[in-house]
Amino acid sequence: MRKQFIAGNWKMNLDTKQAAELARALLDAAGELGDIEIAVAPVATSISAVIEVLRGSKIAVAAQNCYWESAGAFTGELSPEMIREIGCQHVIIGHSERRQFFGETDETVNKKVHAAFRAGLLPIVCVGESLAEREQGKTMEVVSTQLKQSLRDLRDEQVTQLTVAYEPVWAIGTGKTASPDQAQEVHAFLRGQLMETFGPGAAEAVRIQYGGSVKAANAAELLSKADIDGALVGGASLKAEDFLGILREAG
Ligand code: PGA
């Protein structure tokens, strides 16, 4: 049985004080939540403050991105080792906003995924089609290519530890959610692709999160689907009550 894994992606929001306050509010309610895995991904400058609040709790901390080298002349970048050292357990890699605005490709995503494992971080690898791609009937082709290229040359036991986030680009921040059936169709397909490349053990173990306008009102139905093992939540993770609403549906 895969444990549900809900991650809040705070994107470039909340200053350090606000981030620590949100973490505190989540922590205060964490005891009443079910047996699920939870992570939050603050901006890099707030990671330490959030880790301070959440240390020893069941809420893990993720970085929103990393570089693939350990150290060196790469102005503005953070290495996975540095992110691990301050106490993050996870790192989001290849979010569609990184692909769209910052030139991420499947090749750079793949380098970052390898680097994350080297540093002892568990990657959350994002894939998803644009609206135009969906309308042209290319959804499966697009996500299959992204998945295979992003996970290239990983060992089976590494794959079992990572999380895939299926995030249709047209559903992110738009209020338009994929229907539970639409999402399940892609999730089942992705699991099939994992099976082909990495075998049944890995395919069964990998959590596939859905992301794109998830909120408390639609979480239960999405999470009830066989291959939807959690959510990557943007907007609705920025307020404690909204995020807790989703966490309660998952538990
Ligand atoms: P959203 O963002 O929940 O605001 O749609 C999801 C994401 O980008 O991870």
Side-chain angles (χ1 to χ4, degrees):
M1 264 304 275
R2 295 179 294 269
K3 200 187 267 195
Q4 294 277 347
F5 179 22
I6 313 289
N9 174 10
W10 295 350
K11 307 192 180 182
M12 201 175 73
N13 294 297
L14 309 178
D15 63 24
T16 303
K17 186 162 170 283
Q18 292 168 327
E21 277 169 9
L22 176 52
R24 165 68 52 199
L26 298 176
L27 182 65
D28 287 346
E32 69 192 49
L33 298 170
D35 188 22
I36 56 173
E37 247 183 88
I38 308 165
V40 292
V43 289
T45 48
S46 297
I47 287 175
S48 289
V50 168
I51 282 177
E52 201 57 45
V53 173
L54 297 178
R55 180 163 293 138
S57 79
K58 67 185 272 183
I59 306 176
V61 179
Q64 298 177 11
N65 178 37
C66 68
Y67 194 54
W68 58 80
E69 297 286 351
S70 304
F74 304 104
T75 301
E77 294 296 315
L78 299 173
S79 79
E81 283 79 3
M82 291 161 182
I83 290 165
R84 180 75 192 111
E85 193 237 329
I86 56 169
C88 286
Q89 290 101 321
H90 303 271
V91 57
I92 299 170
I93 299 179
H95 189 279
S96 64
E97 286 149 18
R98 303 255 5 132
R99 293 175 185 261
Q100 200 178 336
F101 305 132
F102 303 101
E104 291 266 4
T105 62
D106 292 336
E107 197 187 348
T108 61
V109 170
N110 181 249
K111 285 185 180 182
K112 291 179 179 195
V113 172
H114 280 278
F117 277 118
R118 180 189 71 214
L121 287 169
L122 300 176
I124 300 173
V125 183
C126 304
V127 300
E129 81 287 2
S130 67
L131 184 58
E133 288 162 342
R134 174 161 284 264
E135 284 173 351
Q136 290 159 23
K138 290 189 182 153
T139 297
M140 301 309 184
E141 183 189 325
V142 168
V143 297
S144 164
T145 303
Q146 288 176 336
L147 186 77
K148 289 193 169 156
Q149 304 283 322
S150 300
L151 306 189
R152 202 171 46 200
D153 295 334
L154 288 179
R155 297 193 304 273
D156 296 0
E157 72 271 17
Q158 290 176 315
V159 175
T160 61
Q161 296 179 68
L162 60 76
T163 301
V164 172
Y166 167 58
E167 299 203 302
V169 177
W170 49 271
I172 295 178
T174 58
K176 279 189 215 151
T177 321
S179 72
D181 288 338
Q182 269 176 330
Q184 165 60 25
E185 186 189 13
V186 180
H187 282 232
F189 172 77
L190 288 169
R191 202 175 301 288
Q193 298 287 294
L194 290 167
M195 172 98 82
E196 269 180 24
T197 315
F198 301 103
E204 271 306 304
V206 171
R207 265 91 57 91
I208 308 181
Q209 295 174 324
Y210 168 78
S213 300
V214 175
K215 46 186 190 279
N218 58 27
E221 219 193 322
L222 285 160
L223 296 173
S224 71
K225 294 291 176 184
D227 291 290
I228 303 184
D229 312 309
L232 184 54
V233 184
S237 70
L238 291 172
K239 288 205 182 104
E241 264 323 298
D242 293 347
F243 195 47
L244 285 167
I246 295 169
L247 295 175
R248 289 187 190 107
E249 296 297 341

